[in-house]
Amino acid sequence: MFRFEDPIYLLFLVVIPVLALIRLMGWRQRKKKLRKFGDPDLLKELMPDVSKYRPSVKFWVALAALAMLIFMLARPQMGTKISHEKRNGIETIICLDISNSMLAEDVVPSRLEKSKMLVENLVDHFTNDKIGLVVFAGDAFTQLPITSDYVSAKMFLQNIDPSLIATQGTDIAQAINLAMNSFTPQEKIGKAIILITDGEDHEGGALEVAAAAKKKGINVFILGVGDSSGAPIPLGNGDYLKDAQGQVVMTALNEQMCQQVAQAGSGKYIHVDNTSDAQEKLNDELVKLQKGETDSVIYSEYDEQFQAFGIIVLLLLIIEVCILESKNPLLKNVRLFKRNKMGNVAKLIILSMLLTLGSLPTFAQDRQSIRQGNKLFHQQGFDKAEVEYRKALAKNPKNTQAMYNLGCALMMQQKDSAAIVQFENAGKLETSPIRKSMSYHNMGVICQKHQLYGEAIQAYKESLRNNPNDNETRYNLSLCKRLQKQQPQNNQNQDNKNDKNKDDKDKQNQKSQDKQNNNDQQKQQPKDQMSKENAEQLLNAAVQEEKATQQRMKKAMQEPRSRKLQKNW
């Protein structure tokens, strides 16, 4: 596919017809002056060496060189040739549990991080296979559609966090059902669903959905992460998740349920611990699946093609210089440098534009830096890739591709504020709607990560304006709107909690004062009378505590077990 990287320079092509018109007017005026000077036939006899056609040929050759020069400035590129490559492999959809229970640290460093490392190692072993990614908790959505782009799979994997889904729980049935509908319609190829979870199935229906997948020829493998003895869920501030009664919540691996789902889905259950045995067992099982011919779409990069236009310009200029106006170059060499005024104007324009070609080699240089940065980025050398992208921007500050890639490298290094600056600059200067949409989408992801939901919503809206068909951006936008509505309520609950703690502290101080007064009275009154009053106080306190406990239990029983996000697409 052919394109121009800077098509704005093509506007200079307007100069071509203008110069042609001026040339025609000058030729007519010259003809009128010759007629006033004498008879045209007589003048022709008096000037036998003057050519009628050579000046025009020289002019049009110079004009063609000018047109080629303008094309050079527009940076012609060749690339993005889409080719369909046939490969033999399988299709795999990975369903990753991102509920809060996956934060437990009974597997080092945590259940979720261990799962990410396992998926990353699995992707490294893939060659001609296709992979997709589904994340789930109380709800499920597609994080990455099925693809053979393993680099994108790793990038999407890094951004997975329990905050992506507001509805907590573990709806395994919905995850398997979504994965079944994410495969390609291609037949005679091995298809597998790899479900990574701790087995806390709060919704039910997993066995039935796994059996339905088996009927479609899809194997369901379960990777159980964690310890069956249970572990607490850290909150990140040194404390652990507690229930309404203040007891630490313990989450345990439900191996029995995982084994039942794997058996119903004609797959295998594999326990994931701190060793690499699970990885090896899973690879052995996937090798047994039938490998079919898959069709992969390959996109090539754009390459600069201005060199060919530059050669044409040089050839045209050499031809223009070699063509003389006189008919006899041996006897009339002095006329070699005689030019009409319009020819001189064309050459001055070409000469001035040739001076600007000094910047064209930098285009090839910044392209080379971007390629080197992409190579380092794919090797996960994000800091070194950042250096290459900055080199490209130093050579060409308006290279939007270098800006976007630099933002991705910074984001992978957790340099979120600097990444937002690069994505914003790329979004403002980018002309392609798709790439502009990607820049604003990444800005929204960073803002969402830091709970800046208002800024994230604006970024996602701008992304959808440029690419309305991006379902992932639309989902993130809906999620941020819901989280933004819940944020004031959470702040209010925190304020109420602080007020309650303050009231409890005041009550505790008051009780301490009452206790001190009772001690003072105890010194003045008989011992048996004080014991009776103390007993009544203790009895009343116990009754009040029992009533409060019953009210909390009643309220907890009335609350729904999970909530579903309402999607409008």
Side-chain angles (χ1 to χ4, degrees):
M1 180 179 179
F2 184 81
R3 75 166 189 178
F4 290 99
E5 177 66 20
D6 299 323
I8 188 67
Y9 289 106
L10 295 178
L11 295 177
F12 285 117
L13 290 174
V14 179
V15 177
I16 303 298
V18 173
L19 291 177
L21 181 61
I22 296 175
R23 165 71 181 179
L24 179 61
M25 294 173 60
W27 178 77
R28 295 183 63 181
Q29 187 177 5
R30 178 175 177 274
K31 195 171 183 179
K32 288 180 181 180
K33 289 182 179 181
L34 288 176
R35 286 179 179 177
K36 291 180 180 180
F37 186 77
D39 183 63
D41 295 333
L42 179 61
L43 292 175
K44 185 177 180 180
E45 294 293 334
L46 295 175
M47 298 183 295
D49 297 332
V50 175
S51 175
K52 181 179 179 181
Y53 301 104
R54 291 190 182 191
S56 298
V57 173
K58 290 173 65 63
F59 172 78
W60 291 113
V61 170
L63 207 60
L66 176 61
M68 292 295 103
L69 188 61
I70 294 174
F71 287 135
M72 287 180 63
L73 291 176
R75 294 180 63 186
Q77 294 180 342
M78 186 74 70
T80 63
K81 182 177 67 174
I82 301 178
S83 60
H84 296 270
E85 183 176 319
K86 300 295 183 180
R87 299 180 175 183
N88 290 323
I90 63 173
E91 294 183 0
T92 305
I93 301 292
I94 299 176
C95 300
L96 182 57
D97 186 356
I98 61 171
S99 59
N100 287 333
S101 60
M102 292 292 288
L103 297 176
E105 299 176 348
D106 49 358
V107 177
V108 179
S110 69
R111 296 179 182 177
L112 183 58
E113 293 301 323
K114 178 67 174 180
S115 301
K116 288 183 180 181
M117 291 188 291
L118 192 147
V119 174
E120 187 171 351
N121 293 332
L122 180 65
V123 173
D124 291 336
H125 284 80
F126 283 170
T127 53
N128 298 326
D129 309 304
K130 287 189 175 182
I131 186 174
L133 186 59
V134 172
V135 294
F136 70 97
D139 197 1
F141 71 90
T142 302
Q143 178 77 354
L144 176 69
I146 190 164
T147 179
S148 57
D149 187 358
Y150 304 141
V151 176
S152 298
K154 290 184 178 181
M155 291 182 60
F156 278 97
L157 188 66
Q158 297 295 330
N159 298 326
I160 292 178
D161 187 80
S163 61
L164 292 177
I165 298 181
T167 304
Q168 283 302 310
T170 309
D171 196 346
I172 295 178
Q174 187 173 359
I176 297 177
N177 187 40
L178 180 60
M180 281 195 301
N181 298 324
S182 300
F183 288 101
T184 63
Q186 188 174 358
E187 298 180 354
K188 296 181 180 180
I189 183 174
K191 298 180 180 180
I193 297 176
I194 302 175
L195 195 141
I196 308 176
T197 181
D198 53 16
E200 289 190 345
D201 186 14
H202 298 312
E203 303 297 334
L207 296 177
E208 292 78 3
V209 179
K214 178 181 177 181
K215 293 180 180 179
K216 293 184 177 182
I218 302 174
N219 301 88
V220 181
F221 297 92
I222 307 294
L223 301 184
V225 187
D227 193 346
S228 57
S229 60
I233 303 175
L235 297 178
N237 56 0
D239 198 5
Y240 296 96
L241 183 65
K242 298 180 181 180
D243 56 16
Q245 286 73 30
Q247 300 294 327
V248 176
V249 176
M250 300 294 291
T251 172
L253 171 63
N254 189 351
E255 287 193 289
Q256 183 179 1
M257 192 277 296
C258 292
Q259 292 172 354
Q260 293 175 353
V261 175
Q263 185 178 1
S266 186
K268 185 177 182 180
Y269 167 74
I270 302 174
H271 179 234
V272 179
D273 51 18
N274 292 318
T275 65
S276 60
D277 295 341
Q279 180 72 53
E280 297 175 358
K281 293 179 181 177
L282 180 59
N283 290 333
D284 294 339
E285 292 296 328
L286 294 179
V287 169
K288 300 176 183 178
L289 296 180
Q290 176 186 0
K291 294 183 180 295
E293 191 178 70
T294 61
D295 189 10
S296 300
V297 180
I298 307 299
Y299 299 89
S300 61
E301 295 182 346
Y302 287 103
D303 291 327
E304 301 287 349
Q305 302 294 329
F306 69 90
Q307 299 91 342
F309 288 87
I311 294 174
I312 295 175
V313 171
L314 291 176
L315 292 176
L316 290 175
L317 291 177
I318 293 174
I319 292 173
E320 194 274 339
V321 171
C322 293
I323 297 176
L324 305 179
E325 291 184 354
S326 64
K327 294 181 180 179
N328 192 346
L330 297 177
L331 301 177
K332 305 295 182 180
N333 290 332
V334 292
R335 296 186 181 183
L336 176 66
F337 300 102
K338 291 183 179 181
R339 302 288 186 269
N340 58 70
K341 293 183 179 180
M342 294 318 303
N344 292 333
V345 171
K347 288 181 179 57
L348 287 175
I349 295 177
I350 292 177
L351 181 61
S352 62
M353 298 185 72
L354 276 174
L355 295 177
T356 63
L357 286 177
S359 60
L360 282 177
T362 61
F363 294 152
Q365 294 175 5
D366 66 12
R367 185 65 183 172
Q368 181 64 27
S369 298
I370 293 177
R371 288 178 178 174
Q372 183 64 23
N374 293 342
K375 182 178 179 180
L376 294 171
F377 189 94
H378 295 162
Q379 296 173 356
Q380 299 187 359
F382 305 120
D383 53 344
K384 297 180 180 179
E386 177 187 352
V387 175
E388 294 297 328
Y389 294 143
R390 291 192 183 277
K391 287 181 182 179
L393 285 177
K395 298 167 186 173
N396 183 11
K398 294 185 179 181
N399 193 321
T400 55
Q401 184 179 2
M403 292 179 188
Y404 176 81
N405 291 359
L406 176 59
C408 293
L410 292 171
M411 184 170 64
M412 299 305 293
Q413 299 178 72
Q414 306 300 324
K415 299 178 181 178
D416 293 337
S417 58
I420 285 182
V421 174
Q422 297 300 328
F423 287 136
E424 186 175 8
N425 293 337
K428 291 179 180 179
L429 299 178
E430 184 58 67
T431 57
S432 172
I434 300 298
R435 288 185 286 185
K436 184 187 289 286
S437 172
M438 293 168 60
S439 298
Y440 285 107
H441 175 86
N442 288 351
M443 289 176 58
V445 170
I446 295 176
C447 294
Q448 180 180 349
K449 173 183 175 182
H450 294 279
Q451 298 183 358
L452 302 174
Y453 300 122
E455 292 81 353
I457 290 173
Q458 295 301 323
Y460 287 140
K461 286 182 178 179
E462 188 65 28
S463 177
L464 288 174
R465 290 190 187 101
N466 293 277
N467 186 14
N469 299 324
D470 193 340
N471 290 333
E472 182 181 355
T473 303
R474 187 176 290 108
Y475 176 85
N476 290 356
L477 175 61
S478 177
L479 179 61
C480 285
K481 288 182 178 180
R482 181 178 293 272
L483 293 176
Q484 187 183 38
K485 293 179 180 179
Q486 295 177 355
Q487 196 172 32
Q489 182 179 0
N490 295 335
N491 294 337
Q492 183 66 29
N493 294 337
Q494 184 65 27
D495 295 340
N496 295 337
K497 183 177 180 179
N498 294 335
D499 295 339
K500 183 178 180 181
N501 293 336
K502 185 177 180 181
D503 295 340
D504 294 341
K505 187 175 181 181
D506 294 339
K507 290 180 180 179
Q508 185 176 3
N509 294 335
Q510 183 65 30
K511 289 181 180 180
S512 300
Q513 185 65 28
D514 294 341
K515 183 177 180 180
Q516 183 64 31
N517 295 336
N518 291 337
N519 292 336
D520 295 339
Q521 294 176 6
Q522 187 176 5
K523 295 178 181 179
Q524 301 174 2
Q525 296 182 8
K527 183 176 180 180
D528 58 343
Q529 185 178 356
M530 291 298 100
S531 299
K532 183 177 180 180
E533 291 178 358
N534 290 338
E536 291 177 354
Q537 291 178 1
L538 292 174
L539 181 60
N540 292 334
V543 172
Q544 294 296 331
E545 182 66 22
E546 180 66 20
K547 291 181 179 180
T549 302
Q550 292 179 357
Q551 291 178 357
R552 288 196 298 268
M553 293 179 61
K554 184 177 180 181
K555 184 178 180 180
M557 293 297 292
Q558 292 176 352
E559 291 182 353
R561 298 176 65 184
S562 65
R563 296 180 292 107
K564 299 290 183 182
L565 292 178
Q566 298 297 325
K567 299 181 182 179
N568 55 359
W569 68 87

